[in-house]
């Protein structure tokens, strides 16, 4: 059972990676001759074309999404440090791309060195593009439980003491699923999960429960609150007692669209069987949200990420030493 849950997450990731790698390979083929002229390298040295193709994918994808997030900062309910980090990343990637292009016009060797030293960034861009594609595939292939016994709604940021727009859509989607199942599952439950952040006036779970009762006419007796979690993994682990047991299956976990793929992976890791349902997310918010997901995945696997970055920098240094 656990293996099948993991395969539901692994399959979109494999397809996404294959699509991004295939696109990068095609771009490499198209750029081979222009790059040879631009960087003053032999045409048969296709590695430079691959490096430039990876840089293009990373700059357009990771850099473009991060830069877009910088433009929409004023529309956010709350601007957190991670939002400023994403905006700075976009500006930095764009500045680096322009610097490499300018360097190539003056000194091709300097442009080659800059391209090599940024190798971990290009790899991160390819990985982020694969994650974005995996999120899209997961949403397209997602299945919906007809009559969930339990609907678990994951928390997000509050606006004062009320749910913010992002969280409100999750709550509304969860209430919709719960109400749809009542005809066949009159005992269906809603679980709201979310603790109190350092900049919040109350727990996210209490705000969600209040919104369900006051605005969506869900009886308080049908709601269970989990008010101690501060991360998505904790949302799932601390809600285990409410979602596993007689009459609780099947489980539908409700979160935002961009967050559904990573949540499905965490759900499989903690060993809970269920389906993740994505609530609609404002399109202008999606690019930055996907970058945030990429940063969250990197943080979850920080040692692997650091090790890979160190290995790529070592490779770049070795390649630089081989240059004439």
């Amino acid at each position: 059972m656990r293996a099948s849950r993991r395969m539901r997450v692994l399959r979109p990731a494999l397809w996404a990676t294959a699509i991004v790698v295939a696109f990068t390979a095609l771009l490499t083929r198209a750029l081979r001759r222009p790059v040879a002229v631009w960087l003053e390298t032999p045409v048969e040295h296709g590695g430079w074309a691959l490096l430039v193709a990876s840089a293009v994918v990373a700059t357009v994808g990771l850099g473009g999404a991060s830069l877009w997030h910088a433009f929409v900062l004023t529309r956010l309910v709350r601007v957190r440090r991670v939002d400023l980090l994403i905006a700075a990343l976009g500006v930095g990637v764009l500045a680096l791309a322009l610097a490499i292009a300018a360097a190539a016009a003056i000194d091709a060797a300097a442009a080659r060195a800059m391209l090599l030293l940024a190798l971990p960034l290009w790899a991160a861009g390819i990985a982020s593009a694969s994650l974005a594609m995996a999120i899209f595939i997961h949403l397209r292939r997602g299945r919906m439980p007809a009559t969930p016994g339990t609907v678990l709604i994951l928390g997000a940021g509050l606006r004062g003491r009320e749910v913010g727009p992002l969280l409100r859509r999750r709550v509304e989607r969860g209430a919709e699923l719960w109400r749809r199942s009542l005809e066949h599952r009159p005992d269906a439950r809603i679980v709201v999960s979310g603790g109190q952040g350092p900049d919040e006036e109350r727990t996210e779970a209490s705000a969600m429960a209040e919104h369900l009762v006051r605005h969506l006419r869900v009886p308080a007796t049908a709601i269970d609150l989990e008010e101690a979690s501060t991360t998505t993994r904790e949302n799932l682990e601390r809600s285990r007692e409410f979602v596993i047991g007689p009459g609780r299956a099947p489980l539908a976990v409700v979160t935002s669209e961009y967050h559904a793929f990573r949540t499905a992976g965490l759900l499989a890791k903690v060993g809970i069987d269920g389906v993740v349902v994505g609530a609609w997310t404002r399109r202008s918010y999606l690019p930055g949200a996907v970058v945030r997901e990429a940063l969250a995945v990197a943080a979850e696997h920080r040692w692997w990420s650091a090790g890979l970055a160190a290995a790529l920098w070592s490779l770049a240094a070795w390649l630089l030493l081989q240059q004439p």
Side-chain angles (χ1 to χ4, degrees), residues 28-29 31-32 35-36 41-53:
T28 299
R29 186 180 180 87
L31 291 176
R32 195 160 183 165
V35 166
T41 58
V43 175
E44 59 270 18
H45 290 182
W48 288 107
L50 175 60
L51 185 60
V52 171

Side-chain angles (χ1 to χ4, degrees), residues 215-306:
H215 300 285
L216 301 175
R217 298 182 179 180
V218 176
T221 53
I223 305 172
D224 296 311
L225 280 73
E226 182 287 299
E227 300 183 89
S229 57
T230 57
T231 66
T232 302
R233 186 170 190 133
E234 287 183 5
N235 284 150
L236 302 174
E237 290 177 336
R238 293 180 181 274
S239 298
R240 184 186 297 271
E241 63 177 297
F242 300 113
V243 303
I244 295 180
R248 294 296 181 131
L251 169 67
V253 181
V254 179
T255 186
S256 301
E257 289 175 322
Y258 66 87
H259 192 226
F261 177 68
R262 185 163 68 92
T263 300
L266 290 172
L267 196 64
K269 282 185 179 179
V270 301
I272 298 176
D273 190 29
V275 175
V276 181
V277 179
W280 183 84
T281 306
R282 192 175 64 205
R283 294 299 176 249
S284 62
Y285 182 75
L286 280 177
V290 172
V291 176
R292 185 184 290 107
E293 288 296 287
L295 292 174
V297 171
E300 288 170 6
H301 303 90
R302 59 180 65 88
W303 295 115
W304 284 102
S305 300

Side-chain angles (χ1 to χ4, degrees), residues 33-193:
R33 289 188 179 279
V35 166
V37 174
W38 183 51
L39 295 180
E40 299 178 3
T41 58
V43 175
E44 59 270 18
H45 290 182
W48 288 107
L50 175 60
L51 185 60
V52 171
S54 301
V56 169
V57 171
T59 301
V60 174
L62 180 61
S66 300
L67 195 61
W68 175 261
H69 195 65
F71 290 129
V72 301
L73 283 179
T74 56
R75 303 182 191 177
L76 302 182
V77 174
R78 287 185 305 166
V79 177
R80 300 180 178 181
R81 281 184 297 179
V82 68
D83 296 304
L84 297 176
L85 174 63
I86 293 171
L89 176 63
V91 174
V93 172
L94 177 62
L96 177 60
L98 293 175
I100 293 173
I106 303 170
D107 185 354
R112 293 197 301 268
M114 293 170 71
L115 274 167
L116 278 172
L117 290 174
L119 186 56
L121 178 62
W122 312 141
I126 294 292
S128 298
S130 299
L131 176 62
M133 183 62 67
I135 290 171
F136 174 76
I137 293 173
H138 180 263
L139 288 173
R140 295 286 295 178
R141 296 170 60 92
R143 55 192 181 90
M144 185 83 65
T147 55
T150 307
V151 177
L152 169 61
I153 308 173
L154 305 188
L158 302 181
R159 175 184 280 175
R161 295 185 58 81
E162 306 295 327
V163 298
L166 189 73
L167 185 52
R168 186 186 71 246
R169 295 187 189 103
R170 295 186 188 185
V171 173
E172 290 171 349
R173 184 71 167 124
E176 176 191 340
L177 291 177
W178 173 81
R179 197 163 274 114
R180 188 186 301 170
S181 70
L182 284 181
E183 181 179 351
H184 302 284
R185 297 294 302 270
D187 60 340
R189 308 285 301 175
I190 292 183
V191 180
V192 288
S193 176

